[in-house]
Amino acid sequence: SWSGEEYGLVGSTGWGEEYANTLLKNATVYINVDVGVSGKTFASAATHSLGRELLKVAGKVKDPETQKPLSDVWDKQLGTLGSGSDYTVFLDNLGIASYDLRFMPFNKQPYGTYHSIYDSYTWIETQADPTLEYHVLLSQVVGLLALDFADLDVLPIELQDEAQAISQYVDELEGMHIHGLDELRKAVKELEKSAVAFARNDEVDNQQKNRILGLFERNLLDKEGLPKRKWFKHILQAPGLYLGYEPEVFPGIQQAFSEKNNTMLQQEITRAVSAINRGIRMLTPQNSGEPFVQAVY
């Protein structure tokens, strides 16, 4: 449990910064629970390489109300992470693949007592989850995820899924009529092929495969950080500069485009291509598999 969340994520951020070098070299996944239960609708946002594992775990536990597997009542939407909770330092600054999991009201909107004097245990036991069954269910999901990441022979990280998500991010940029993305599109297509080939490569032993899977996300950091906010180093997603907590994909590219700064736009596209290419090199058989893990402080 992190201290100082409401005061700027100071507990988790301070801890992440203090142990940055160790985390960069060793951490595999971060599982975040903030507002754990405010309703009965499962909601998730995560690094997209983690989605398939969450679906598997959701198939092993039951929704208390319907007695169906959680995977049957979940809409299976995996949101993109921005900020506003303690995963921020781990994903946006240190490149650690992350989950953010919760149960929300049916419309996935903030519950009405949020951050008020009525946001209390009384509200939980009378309105949100009187039997605490959904608290138990969320604990089961988090526990099973942790067990799998700790115990499976091969880490349940699907890089093909992440590559497909990145391709959709490029689609989003093209839908905004951002031009000059040919090299980025080419790199992402190559990443998709490399991820599939890596998954099928039986010549890589489990120890090496796990190291590549566990540290792959680090390749998507840029040590110079995003424009005007160096602390945010992940090139794929960040909270939008003017969106509060809401995520923005390829944030450097979008920022340059919104500011009509063509020089910055080309620089940000180049940095994105370089990050994708680092990931490709990491997955190629002749490479040692060592990712971009140098200290960022």
Side-chain angles (χ1 to χ4, degrees), residues 55 58-59 61 63 66-76:
L55 182 60
V61 295
D63 172 63
T66 64
Q67 288 301 300
K68 294 180 179 179
L70 178 61
S71 56
D72 287 0
V73 298
W74 174 33
D75 63 10
K76 302 178 182 61

Side-chain angles (χ1 to χ4, degrees), residues 116-165:
S116 75
I117 61 172
Y118 304 104
D119 196 355
S120 64
Y121 183 72
T122 298
W123 181 78
I124 291 289
E125 66 180 356
T126 60
Q127 302 293 324
D129 190 18
T131 64
L132 298 182
E133 290 177 298
Y134 282 90
H135 284 77
V136 171
L137 178 56
L138 185 57
S139 298
Q140 290 173 332
V141 171
V142 171
L144 288 171
L145 287 172
L147 284 171
D148 277 357
F149 278 97
D151 291 344
L152 291 178
D153 290 339
V154 176
L155 288 169
I157 295 174
E158 302 292 343
L159 298 181
Q160 312 99 295
D161 295 345
E162 179 151 13
Q164 290 173 6

